[in-house]
Amino acid sequence: MTAAPDPARSVPPTTAGTPDPEIPDLVRAARGLPVSRTPVWFMRQAGRSLPEYRALRAGTGMLAACQDPDLVTEITLQPVRRHGVDAAILFSDIVLPLVVAGVDIDIKAGVGPVVASPVRSVADVDALPPLEPERLAFLQTAVRQLVAELGPIPLIGFAGAPFTLATYLIEGGPSKEHARTKAFMYAEPEAWSRLLDRLAVSAATFLRAQVDAGASAVQLFDSWAGVLSAVDYAERVLPHSRAVIDGLGDRDVPRIHFGVGTGELLPLIGDAGADVVGVDWRVPLDEAARRVGPARSLQGNLDPAVLLADRGTVDREVRRVVEQGRAARGHIFNLGHGVLPETDPDVLTHVVELVHELTATPAGPTTPAG
Ligand SMILES: Cc1c2[nH]c(c1CCC(=O)O)Cc1[nH]c(c(CCC(=O)O)c1C)Cc1[nH]c(c(CCC(=O)O)c1C)Cc1[nH]c(c(C)c1CCC(=O)O)C2
């Protein structure tokens, strides 16, 4: 599916004394190693912007599709074939571990996850069923099929972080202010901590299942963490997100950690244990690199709405993100949040080509930091 690795590339050792030219650019960028060109993928690349996705999904509910290994495989591959992105992301959803464990959740089209009985008390927390790893056999089948089909292209596994999952469980569905969630966090600190502990355990189980079946990297989505102050995030959320990442043990895969509106939290998001901090469009990548420090790479951060503008604007903004990304230890090009459903897929393909063109190094690898 991609060109054979270029033997002329000199790839530094990743483990003492063993240079490995087989390591994909995504993994190298995540580790701050030289890349042949900046890797690109898009959050929500598999989904409603693609007509072939809408055709395949017709008549199948979102959660049913996520539990059908053949559908998961095909939907995950669609954007890789069409756009030539440098990574696939497993077609699934952050609420899937809860659904598989037996929590009554539906994903309503155009709305998002809706929880039948929201969590509002300690008793509700204790009643949440645990996720038995054996119930993830379908997911591991999908991952194995994908790894076989993808060849050298890495598959990113993912999970929802405890805070973001807690917002759905407590609110009962999507919300803007997350007021009930915060009220529960302040009023019931012990129940809160117990809830996030449980969510961390199931997120870690979900990630391990994907990595053990062959995923090459993982992303922890804490999409809504940006609604918290740095102090509350540090004290009441970060330890639980760290527990998810620590739950991967010594599995040697890069960890990407992302949230929206997290400008003030960027150093903490890194501290929770990420190799790569995902950044939305609000903070330019050179400034994000200063906030995160030299020990981590960055992912992001084109505003998804830019893709709805004219070609000149798209090109200018892509160039800006690429240039600002050079300040980071390593840069994985992405959007600042998911692809909007109304995006023209041809524009996504164009962005992949442009990023590759702007960052290709025919004479050999570059070090993004200079
Ligand atoms: C918060 C969150 C959710 N799910 C996810 C997050 C974190 C990322 C983010 O912040 O966007 C993660 C997610 N959800 C989905 C993926 C698949 C992989 C990918 O292409 O990125 C991933 C990584 C598929 C999906 N998840 C969902 C869809 C759309 C459902 C459909 O096609 O009918 C897809 C493709 C549904 C969903 N699920 C959720 C929402 C808010 C929605 C959108 C509701 C809507 O607009 O319809 C919860």
Side-chain angles (χ1 to χ4, degrees), residues 44-46 48 53 57 62 92-93 110 158 221 223 337:
R44 289 284 168 90
Q45 65 188 17
R48 288 177 302 172
Y53 167 79
R57 266 288 316 284
M62 175 66 192
S92 187
D93 197 85
F158 74 90
F221 283 94
S223 300
H337 200 184

Side-chain angles (χ1 to χ4, degrees), residues 7 9 22-23 34 73 76 107 109 142 148 160 176 194 217 219 237 251 276 279 325 346:
R9 274 188 225 154
E22 304 279 300
I23 301 172
T73 302
T76 302
I107 293 186
K176 263 201 155 63
R194 204 185 301 186
Q219 176 154 329
V237 171
R251 290 168 180 79
V276 182
V279 183
D346 290 345

Side-chain angles (χ1 to χ4, degrees), residues 295-309:
R296 306 185 204 284
S297 300
L298 296 181
Q299 176 174 280
N301 72 344
L302 185 71
D303 188 333
V306 164
L307 301 179
L308 309 179

Side-chain angles (χ1 to χ4, degrees), residues 50-59 78:
L50 298 184
E52 59 269 37
Y53 167 79
R54 292 194 294 265
L56 206 56
R57 266 288 316 284
Q78 284 177 341

Side-chain angles (χ1 to χ4, degrees), residues 251-313:
R251 290 168 180 79
D252 190 21
V253 294
R255 295 113 208 254
I256 309 169
H257 194 180
F258 166 78
V260 181
T262 52
E264 299 300 319
L265 306 181
L266 287 176
L268 295 168
I269 300 258
D271 287 348
D275 301 293
V276 182
V277 174
V279 183
D280 82 1
W281 59 90
R282 291 172 177 86
V283 179
L285 289 181
D286 47 359
E287 172 58 21
R290 276 190 288 278
R291 294 186 191 184
V292 163
R296 306 185 204 284
S297 300
L298 296 181
Q299 176 174 280
N301 72 344
L302 185 71
D303 188 333
V306 164
L307 301 179
L308 309 179
D310 58 285
R311 195 54 74 94
T313 303

